[in-house]
Amino acid sequence: MSEPDPTRTPPTVIGAVAAGTVVVPFLIVYSFLFIVRGGFVQVDQPDITDSRSGELVAGLIALAFLIFVLWGMGRLLNGWDRWVFVAGQALTFGVALDLLLDRASGEPQVPAVVLCASLLALVLACLPPSWHWVQTRGGQAVATGEPTTRPVGGEQLGSRPAGGEQPFGSRPAGGEQPFGSRPAGGAS
């Protein structure tokens, strides 16, 4: 089995994952903060719950969600599936929307940025090149119902032939026919 070529990853997949990373630093900070405040440091007044154990649970939930989001990003980038990624971004979108609408949660700038980024990630993950990337298992297999060759003169999004090589499915230059094939027009 050969290693996948990262230069073949469609820009929509790369963009979706890049937009999805906006939530990652917040999850890292909050999971660390709440785990430390709930498990190791005695605080006078907990931030988001009424007890130290509640802070610890909130930190563990943030850590689990961080792992879930990173796992979804890896699955999408490798072309295995997109549903873990979409679920993580949909949950991020929902929480950001709730924080944006709740005036008691603080300033709206951070939830607005996270909301926009998760929406962009969801849209990019559902575009046709992203669907094709997942259907072909990261470009390793032929998608069902898809032609096995590319259209003449067109390349797939995100693919580049190596120096001097012709893309798969293209015709030789100068009207030459591949070995063993008959010339066009039925002449033998």
Side-chain angles (χ1 to χ4, degrees), residues 68-180:
F68 184 76
V69 166
L70 293 174
W71 180 48
M73 288 178 190
R75 293 186 65 80
L76 180 62
L77 277 175
N78 288 318
W80 295 337
D81 73 27
R82 92 182 122 261
W83 299 117
V84 175
F85 178 80
V86 167
Q89 293 307 309
L91 188 57
T92 300
F93 180 85
V95 170
L97 182 62
D98 182 52
L99 291 173
L100 186 65
L101 297 176
D102 182 12
R103 298 215 185 266
S105 69
E107 296 295 321
Q109 291 88 352
V110 172
V113 169
V114 173
L115 181 85
C116 291
S118 62
L119 180 62
L120 178 62
L122 286 168
V123 168
L124 290 173
C126 293
L127 289 177
S130 299
W131 281 85
H132 183 73
W133 178 250
V134 172
Q135 284 178 333
T136 61
R137 308 282 287 161
Q140 298 296 319
V142 175
T144 57
E146 296 284 325
T148 58
T149 62
R150 293 186 200 139
V152 175
E155 289 190 25
Q156 261 185 329
L157 182 62
S159 65
R160 296 180 191 138
E165 293 181 9
Q166 293 182 347
F168 179 74
S170 65
R171 295 188 180 167
E176 300 171 5
Q177 296 295 319
F179 179 76

